[in-house]
Amino acid sequence: MLNIVIFGAPGSGKGTQSERIVEKYGINHISTGDVLRAEIKNGTELGKTAKGYIDQGQLIPDSLMIDILASVFDSFKDSKGVIFDGFPRTIAQAEALKVMLRERGQEVSVMLDLEVPEDELMVRLIKRGKDSGRADDNEETIKKRLNVYHSQTAPLIDWYKAEGQYRHIKGLGTMEDIFADICKEIDAVAGK
Ligand code: ATP
């Protein structure tokens, strides 16, 4: 199985590139942000809890996130692979993902880090907030999310380097160029 972690700061383009990867490689997409937004929309207890954190630009607690991830992962039977988009976001989540996959006889195939300069991230997220009305895409919450990214999520770069799974992708340029770079890395691990 192809288990791809797509990684990057908020606004780095993980969601957009994930959709293309899913289409080309025929794998399943797990976007933890999408899962949480669906729960909020449906007014579930989990959605209510999640909303409090998301609106503050904070992360949902690890234990809760890890349970959600495992149940979504197990809902894909006979899958060719999965792209993890928005997970892991902390070292504890990365360790839990490693254990979860190992228990199922699998591992992360590759971690793709979409790197985008900070001023570009701000521009993209503010534009997305205006277009989509996503409540956490306002200037104040974006700044908090970027701080959370630097303090809690960016340490995963060294963690995945140590695992030998890290690949850097330049996240600036046309969507096609970025996608081509991503495909090169995936094809290298998929042995195609
Ligand atoms: P992108 O712009 O690249 O799609 P994003 O960071 O803007 O990414 P989402 O990935 O959709 O947006 O996440 C939105 C919010 O959902 C986060 O700010 C966080 O509060 C919550 N969240 C999503 N995934 C996790 C996770 N793995 N752990 C904790 N909280 C999470």
Side-chain angles (χ1 to χ4, degrees):
M1 268 182 74
L2 203 50
N3 291 310
I4 301 168
V5 171
I6 190 150
F7 182 88
S12 56
K14 300 184 291 283
T16 313
Q17 293 296 337
S18 294
E19 283 171 23
R20 294 176 166 224
I21 296 168
V22 163
E23 201 180 318
K24 174 162 179 180
Y25 294 93
I27 60 177
N28 293 106
H29 184 195
I30 300 181
S31 161
T32 45
D34 286 352
V35 170
L36 297 171
R37 281 185 289 276
E39 295 285 337
I40 294 172
K41 201 166 158 241
N42 294 331
T44 65
E45 277 308 309
L46 170 59
K48 283 178 200 151
T49 306
K51 189 174 179 350
Y53 291 100
I54 293 177
D55 288 352
Q56 292 302 311
Q58 299 299 319
L59 296 181
I60 276 72
D62 284 334
S63 56
L64 187 56
M65 235 23 254
I66 290 164
D67 287 349
I68 296 171
L69 196 272
S71 78
V72 179
F73 183 78
D74 285 333
S75 72
F76 297 123
K77 296 259 180 291
D78 306 320
S79 173
K80 282 170 71 180
V82 167
I83 179 150
F84 297 94
D85 166 8
F87 190 101
R89 262 178 153 95
T90 62
I91 301 271
Q93 291 181 14
E95 284 169 350
L97 178 62
K98 185 176 176 180
V99 171
M100 186 195 84
L101 290 174
R102 196 199 295 136
E103 284 170 355
R104 291 157 178 78
Q106 298 179 49
E107 61 179 5
V108 167
S109 315
V110 71
M111 184 272 214
L112 305 168
D113 175 23
L114 275 176
E115 201 203 11
V116 175
E118 188 112 355
D119 48 351
E120 170 72 11
L121 293 172
M122 280 301 289
V123 171
R124 286 188 193 178
L125 290 167
I126 287 170
K127 181 174 185 307
R128 184 170 76 184
K130 289 206 178 100
D131 295 345
S132 73
R134 220 176 100 171
D136 58 342
D137 284 342
N138 64 75
E139 197 162 343
E140 195 193 333
T141 312
I142 293 167
K143 282 189 180 143
K144 286 191 196 156
R145 285 158 61 206
L146 289 172
N147 284 336
V148 166
Y149 170 78
H150 288 299
S151 61
Q152 300 190 58
T153 307
L156 286 174
I157 293 173
D158 282 339
W159 195 90
Y160 276 105
K161 281 183 180 166
E163 295 284 307
Q165 293 159 338
Y166 178 89
R167 304 286 186 281
H168 176 263
I169 303 284
K170 200 164 141 283
L172 266 190
T174 68
M175 300 235 227
E176 284 68 29
D177 287 346
I178 299 167
F179 186 58
D181 287 347
I182 287 177
C183 291
K184 264 186 230 159
E185 298 295 350
I186 296 177
D187 291 343
V189 293
K192 280 183 193 150

